[in-house]
Amino acid sequence: MLAIVAASLLLGSGVGAAASLGITSTNLTTYTIVAAAPLSTCTLTPSADSYVDQAVLQQNTNFGGVTPVQVESSQTIGLISTNKRSFVMFNLSSCSIPAAAAVQSATLSVFLSQAPTQNRTWNINRVTAAWTENVITWANQPTSASSTSVATGTTSNVTLQATVTSDVQSFVSGSLTNNGWRFADSVEDSATVRNGQFRSREFGTVAQRPTLVVNYYP
């Protein structure tokens, strides 16, 4: 975004002086000065993350504080679903981004420590209800709405990135509540286990924790 500053410069010492010299509006020169507004950047690590497990004996188990977190498409031989989903949330208020700011870009990144054995599409959905890291389970997981997706590939120890600019703009303006995002396989209940894992906020190497990078104009 560019800040436009317009200034009209009159030839003379004012309107009266210009008229006395026979200068009309056609003799006046208008200059438009264009200056780039400063771009601000805020980089966040999660305020909360966890995963949930659909396996019968794990549906009420909380995995907050565990690293890595997991995304899995699977089912048992008896066709009982055993999928896993991950949740991640960032505290945007710590950035102090003005509500009227224009978000130029927002990029969500995770470090894929273990890739699936087959390329998968992970849906990254905006979470639409509140949750907390040390309480969330499969049984009480919040609802979500479609946002974006990312292809995992089959290579471990790489960074996956997704654009979430629209969501973050809405969080900043207050038109939507920031409850973070949910990662889930786009095709769950795979007969062959398709499991991927990424580092959580608790991981010792800071550079491998999830990040949200927001670029905005005040």
Side-chain angles (χ1 to χ4, degrees):
M1 176 183 296
L2 295 178
I4 307 299
V5 181
S8 295
L9 304 179
L10 300 179
L11 302 178
S13 59
V15 175
S20 67
L21 294 174
I23 298 174
T24 66
S25 59
T26 58
N27 302 116
L28 302 180
T29 303
T30 300
Y31 295 93
T32 299
I33 302 171
V34 180
L39 180 68
S40 299
T41 300
C42 181
T43 300
L44 298 170
T45 53
S47 56
D49 56 22
S50 187
Y51 76 92
V52 297
D53 190 337
Q54 194 179 14
V56 174
L57 298 179
Q58 302 293 343
Q59 292 184 9
N60 291 296
T61 301
N62 171 257
F63 296 96
V66 172
T67 188
V69 291
Q70 305 183 45
V71 177
E72 181 175 300
S73 175
S74 62
Q75 60 180 265
T76 66
I77 296 175
L79 303 183
I80 298 174
S81 299
T82 54
N83 303 298
K84 295 181 177 70
R85 300 169 179 170
S86 285
F87 291 77
V88 61
M89 181 164 52
F90 300 84
N91 181 14
L92 278 168
S93 63
S94 64
C95 292
S96 300
I97 302 175
V103 177
Q104 183 198 51
S105 65
T107 305
L108 173 59
S109 302
V110 297
F111 187 84
L112 188 66
S113 56
Q114 179 178 303
T117 55
Q118 179 188 72
N119 182 47
R120 307 296 292 180
T121 297
W122 285 356
N123 288 337
I124 303 173
N125 285 10
R126 175 177 57 82
V127 179
T128 56
W131 58 280
T132 54
E133 181 178 276
N134 62 351
V135 174
I136 189 171
T137 65
W138 184 276
N140 67 18
Q141 65 181 298
T143 54
S144 67
S146 179
S147 288
T148 187
S149 63
V150 65
T152 65
T154 57
T155 303
S156 299
N157 297 316
V158 297
T159 298
L160 304 182
Q161 295 186 323
T163 299
V164 290
T165 307
S166 178
D167 286 346
V168 173
Q169 180 69 76
S170 295
F171 296 159
V172 168
S173 69
S175 61
L176 291 174
T177 300
N178 175 20
N179 293 302
W181 292 272
R182 186 195 77 181
F183 287 71
D185 198 290
S186 63
V187 182
E188 295 185 322
D189 298 331
S190 171
T192 301
V193 176
R194 305 297 183 187
N195 177 276
Q197 303 177 11
F198 62 88
R199 305 296 195 200
S200 72
R201 74 190 188 102
E202 290 82 9
F203 190 67
T205 303
V206 175
Q208 294 183 14
R209 296 173 185 173
T211 60
L212 178 65
V213 179
V214 183
N215 292 310
Y216 63 95
Y217 291 104

